[in-house]
Amino acid sequence: AQSVAQPEDQVNVAEGNPLTVKCTYSVSGNPYLFWYVQYPNRGLQFLLKYITGDNLVKGSYGFEAEFNKSQTSFHLKKPSALVSDSALYFCAVRDVNDYKLSFGAGTTVTVRA
Amino acid sequence: KAGVTQTPRYLIKTRGQQVTLSCSPISGHRSVSWYQQTPGQGLQFLFEYFSETQRNKGNFPGRFSGRQFSNSRSEMNVSTLELGDSALYLCASSLSPVTNYNEQFFGPGTRLTVL
């Protein structure tokens, strides 16, 4: 079975400060990892993914994520947060041997001006 | 390129009725997945279709069903609606089913309210 945990329901940061959204996962095989963002009354938008190779993945809107196999983590980061980054962020995992995508519960990010 | 479209965007139904939701994937995408999103349960996988065949199914009762057409468009049906079926139903499409590391592209969702 595969699962994702996002330990923080909410993350609050000031604009211009670094933003980190945490994610840990569990799969039986090797993982494919994804981050999505959801704005109010919208569907999910893809940010980035880890397949293999370099542990640091760069994505859309200045976001990046670091894959850590030993800690089974895939934390999302942005060096300097913007008010417009305020949204609901989802981490998702898929085992390489499965087509089902499992999502975490989501983390609400609020960036204050 | 047009994104994933879902119709209708909003639906209000009463208990016991049935409902059909529609999803048109991005042109060229052949895999379509459906998810239910609720505040309490989060995002839950319903099922995935490729080439008109259901390839994966989540843990939902048989009242939830779907199908995919030859043009990759997909429909989801919920029969005998219950209050707990009120949710945002999201459709997602992806390019290739052969390699499962492709990201999914989501539609705006259909907001279903069951009274």
Side-chain angles (χ1 to χ4, degrees):
Chain A
Q2 57 194 38
S3 65
V4 179
Q6 292 181 242
E8 300 162 317
D9 292 336
Q10 288 201 335
V11 170
N12 298 304
V13 298
E15 189 172 35
N17 281 2
L19 169 63
T20 299
V21 186
K22 296 179 180 178
C23 170
T24 58
Y25 65 90
S26 174
V27 294
S28 56
N30 290 319
Y32 293 141
L33 293 153
F34 306 82
W35 275 102
Y36 289 85
V37 60
Q38 186 178 33
Y39 296 98
N41 301 313
R42 302 280 296 276
L44 276 67
Q45 295 179 30
F46 168 75
L47 282 177
L48 50 78
K49 66 180 177 183
Y50 171 82
I51 302 171
T52 187
D54 194 351
N55 289 342
L56 184 64
V57 179
K58 294 189 181 296
S60 306
Y61 313 119
F63 284 95
E64 58 188 30
E66 185 164 12
F67 171 65
N68 187 317
K69 187 172 184 177
S70 63
Q71 297 186 1
T72 61
S73 67
F74 189 55
H75 301 331
L76 180 70
K77 300 180 181 182
K78 187 171 184 179
S80 179
L82 301 172
V83 172
S84 58
D85 293 328
S86 299
L88 181 58
Y89 290 79
F90 290 97
C91 180
V93 68
R94 180 187 285 138
D95 188 295
V96 296
N97 298 312
D98 194 354
Y99 289 98
K100 178 183 172 182
L101 189 63
S102 296
F103 284 87
T107 298
T108 299
V109 170
T110 301
V111 182
R112 59 186 185 276
Chain B
K1 187 183 271 191
V4 178
T5 58
Q6 292 187 246
T7 56
R9 291 294 309 277
Y10 301 92
L11 266 178
I12 298 176
K13 293 285 186 179
T14 56
R15 279 181 298 174
Q17 287 187 308
Q18 76 166 21
V19 66
T20 299
L21 312 181
S22 181
C23 171
S24 293
I26 291 172
S27 177
H29 286 196
R30 299 171 64 192
S31 174
V32 174
S33 298
W34 288 89
Y35 296 86
Q36 182 195 65
Q37 185 178 22
T38 60
Q41 299 297 319
L43 272 161
Q44 293 187 287
F45 171 76
L46 280 156
F47 25 66
E48 184 212 0
Y49 286 88
F50 169 68
S51 287
E52 304 176 62
T53 301
Q54 186 181 89
R55 190 166 60 176
N56 274 291
K57 192 177 192 307
N59 296 323
F60 279 81
R63 300 185 297 107
F64 291 81
S65 63
R67 59 178 176 168
Q68 187 181 33
F69 302 94
S70 58
N71 61 358
S72 295
R73 191 177 69 85
S74 178
E75 286 183 348
M76 191 191 100
N77 185 275
V78 188
S79 63
T80 320
L81 284 166
E82 300 177 0
L83 295 178
D85 297 334
S86 295
L88 181 67
Y89 290 88
L90 294 165
C91 169
S93 73
S94 60
L95 186 59
S96 170
V98 177
T99 51
N100 59 354
Y101 55 71
N102 291 297
E103 60 272 28
Q104 294 182 338
F105 293 85
F106 285 78
T110 294
R111 173 75 62 185
L112 172 64
T113 302
V114 182
L115 303 176

